[in-house]
Amino acid sequence: MNIPAEQTLASFLVAPTRFLFFTGKGGVGKTSLACASAIALADGGRRVLLVSTDPASNLDEVLGVRLTSAATEIPAVPRLAALNIDPAAAAATYREKLVGPYRGKLPDAIVRGMEEQLSGACTMEIAAFDEFSRLLGQPEATADFDHVIFDTAPTGHTLRLMTLPTAWTGFLDTNTTGNSCLGPLAGLEKQRVIYENAVAALANGERTTLVLVSRAQGAALTEAERTSDELAAIGVRNQRLILNGLFQAVDSDPVARALQKRGAEALTEAGAFLNRMRVSKVPLLSHNLVGIPALRALVTLGEIGKQKVENRNEPLPATETLTDLVDDIAQAGRGVIMTMGKGGVGKTTIAAAIATELARRGFPVHLSTTDPAAHIAAAAGKIPGMRVSRIDPQVETRAYVEQVMATAEKNLDANGRALLEEDLRSPCTEEIAVFRAFARTVAQGKDAFVVLDTAPTGHTLLLLDATESYHREIARKASDLPEEVLQLLPRLRDGNYTRVVVVTLPEATPVHEAAMLQADLRRAQIEPFAWVINQSFAESGSRDPLLVARGRGETQFLREVVEQHSKRTAIVPWVTEEPAGPERLQQFFKP
């Protein structure tokens, strides 16, 4: 594919700003492009710090180095260091920073209460943000580096992370009681200057560039445009778009032609957005971008980018079809199906396919999502017997606040009411409200099928882990717990009530992150029902050389899933028609 010189990744990296943020819909290649850019700048003589703010970071695997929350030198790339902001570790450090000074000075019961109050998911988020702000808003923290590159989380989390500076600064300005859902505000107040510096750095176009990453896909481009608008609204206006994985067919192969056509149509539809952006382009390569040599080639498009995958014809392992899985699910007649996995692997599409097939078979179905960046309605379309909804954070937050106030205010004086109202204005309230709605939706599986397209891995686990902290939080503000909240964990752990479908792609990082997700689920006593390997070129029937090479490269990951991770595995091929709407989703269920 011929790309104009001014639109290459290399041209963008000639004179970049000091801070670069790579963001976009999950699975579009943010990590690969952030790593490749960091390596290119370091190779050019710059000192570079590469930072992941993704709860499900895979920087370690891509760079081939074990990373921690401290900057680690990358041996194969002089002048490059990298780190992961680990939310759990950051939360432990943050909690101790607030609670530690009181040990031995206050009664043990009070100290334990403080620790308990700081044990929820929102504490984990603000703690990770604390680290993020230090790197962005405290000049001495990155004084040794010419550039700081952030490989950010999938879009929903990124938006929350990047709007927190304004939200928390505003909360500090208006809070008069000295308390929040995070406990004493003294720890936050000490960070005010750093937070304000972080806000200023984000909005300074001479220092910061937002790099939106997308593929030539409708959902990814829509997400990139939405992110562009929302971040511009909070002052981040120096933006650039990278179109990753562009493909051009070399013959009349129907799969290759369909892939090229689908990409061209998506780009045409997004024409107005593309015309107002500075755009760089990166072609689809025949191999996975893991390891320093492959990442260097992504910028230079040198010899490694032209290599052929070794011509081996290993037989694919025995697997099932999506039809087989739905046959088993249908026998129960009701229950919850949750699709889970790394962002961008097709959870929404698989959830929509399962839901529409169950509805087609005559079952009542509720298809919903907890993903703030969901496109579930467009993916599923309309079919008799199926209801589609989305857990809307703003709607749920308003309803939650109204319920808490109505329940609690009769027992409060004017001062107590004012304190509660102030507490409910904190950013953490939204997390609690969304969690309550999630529990309520799961409860509907008693009488019908509920298919939940869940959020990307890190956010989903935070949502599941929030159960106990939610119990404590709502008990502090209301007289009783909703039955659906009390029953949530037992229902998620009941394999006859909830079937978790782990969705992945036949590539290294999605498979390994899905394996980590499965391990986390098992620690929570939730056993996955099956894995679905989505968008397989090996099963597509394509004869295009590049797609055949990618298909051959899938074999080792298909085998790893079947032999090491999954009790049962279904493969879904890459299909020629965009799988959106009931009729096109039927491509997955052809005999």
Side-chain angles (χ1 to χ4, degrees), residues 253-298:
D253 172 65
V255 173
R257 289 291 185 187
L259 181 60
Q260 178 179 323
K261 181 180 179 218
R262 197 182 296 178
E265 290 174 346
L267 294 176
T268 298
E269 188 171 339
F273 170 53
L274 297 179
N275 287 338
R276 66 178 170 88
M277 297 295 294
R278 294 170 296 162
V279 179
S280 297
K281 299 179 179 180
V282 178
L284 182 69
L285 302 180
S286 62
H287 58 282
N288 286 313
L289 289 165
V290 176
I292 304 299
L295 291 166
R296 279 196 170 105
L298 183 59

Side-chain angles (χ1 to χ4, degrees), residues 352-430:
I354 292 172
T356 55
E357 180 62 14
L358 288 170
R360 196 181 298 278
R361 297 185 186 192
F363 295 101
V365 179
H366 179 195
L367 174 61
S368 189
T369 183
T370 63
D371 190 338
H375 307 277
I376 195 76
K382 296 181 180 180
I383 185 171
M386 183 177 73
R387 179 166 67 94
V388 180
S389 72
R390 172 177 171 263
I391 296 176
D392 186 303
Q394 293 184 345
V395 172
E396 297 301 333
T397 300
R398 283 197 299 270
Y400 171 71
V401 169
E402 289 171 3
Q403 179 185 344
V404 170
M405 292 302 301
T407 302
E409 65 179 350
K410 59 180 177 289
N411 299 317
L412 297 174
D413 57 19
N415 186 60
R417 178 186 173 88
L419 189 151
L420 179 57
E421 288 176 337
E422 188 168 275
D423 202 358
L424 288 170
R425 288 199 296 272
S426 78
C428 307
T429 299
E430 180 182 302

Side-chain angles (χ1 to χ4, degrees), residues 334-338 366 368 370 387 391 434-452 454 463-464 483-485 487-494 497-499:
R334 62 174 180 80
V336 175
I337 301 95
M338 294 173 60
H366 179 195
S368 189
T370 63
R387 179 166 67 94
I391 296 176
V434 170
F435 178 78
R436 185 183 68 164
F438 171 77
R440 188 170 63 243
T441 304
V442 167
Q444 296 173 15
K446 294 182 298 183
D447 306 311
F449 278 116
V450 175
V451 182
L452 272 163
T454 58
L463 196 61
L464 296 180
E483 186 272 341
E484 60 263 23
V485 173
Q487 295 300 318
L488 178 61
L489 275 180
R491 284 168 173 158
L492 294 178
R493 290 166 175 164
D494 182 354
Y497 188 97
T498 300
R499 291 169 178 81

Side-chain angles (χ1 to χ4, degrees), residues 225-260:
E225 183 171 11
R226 185 177 72 87
T227 304
S228 172
D229 292 341
E230 292 192 13
L231 291 179
I234 64 168
V236 186
R237 297 187 178 87
N238 182 18
Q239 302 180 2
R240 171 176 289 271
L241 176 70
I242 297 181
L243 291 173
N244 190 29
L246 297 176
F247 174 75
Q248 186 171 338
V250 297
D251 60 25
S252 59
D253 172 65
V255 173
R257 289 291 185 187
L259 181 60
Q260 178 179 323

Side-chain angles (χ1 to χ4, degrees), residues 144-219:
D144 293 336
F145 301 97
D146 300 310
H147 297 281
V148 183
I149 297 179
F150 291 88
D151 168 31
T152 57
T155 306
H157 179 270
T158 298
L159 288 174
R160 179 146 179 85
L161 188 66
M162 296 183 81
T163 55
L164 271 173
T166 301
W168 281 103
T169 298
F171 186 55
L172 289 171
D173 285 338
T174 59
N175 185 286
T176 59
T177 63
N179 293 302
S180 75
C181 59
L182 296 174
L185 276 174
L188 298 178
E189 181 64 37
K190 292 175 183 176
Q191 301 296 102
R192 176 188 287 271
V193 173
I194 295 175
Y195 288 180
E196 289 175 347
N197 288 344
V199 173
L202 287 171
N204 187 336
E206 295 183 356
R207 298 173 63 196
T208 300
T209 303
L210 177 75
V211 184
L212 297 154
V213 181
S214 180
R215 292 189 181 268
Q217 298 167 351

Side-chain angles (χ1 to χ4, degrees), residues 324-340 350-351 354 358 442 445-446 448-454 490-503 521 526-532 568:
D324 297 326
L325 299 187
V326 174
D327 286 345
D328 277 5
I329 291 169
Q331 290 181 14
R334 62 174 180 80
V336 175
I337 301 95
M338 294 173 60
T339 57
M340 301 180 72
I350 298 302
I354 292 172
L358 288 170
V442 167
K446 294 182 298 183
F449 278 116
V450 175
V451 182
L452 272 163
D453 162 38
T454 58
R491 284 168 173 158
L492 294 178
R493 290 166 175 164
D494 182 354
N496 293 319
Y497 188 97
T498 300
R499 291 169 178 81
V500 173
V501 177
V502 177
V503 184
L521 290 171
I526 300 170
E527 182 64 31
F529 168 70
W531 282 45
V532 171
R568 59 189 305 182

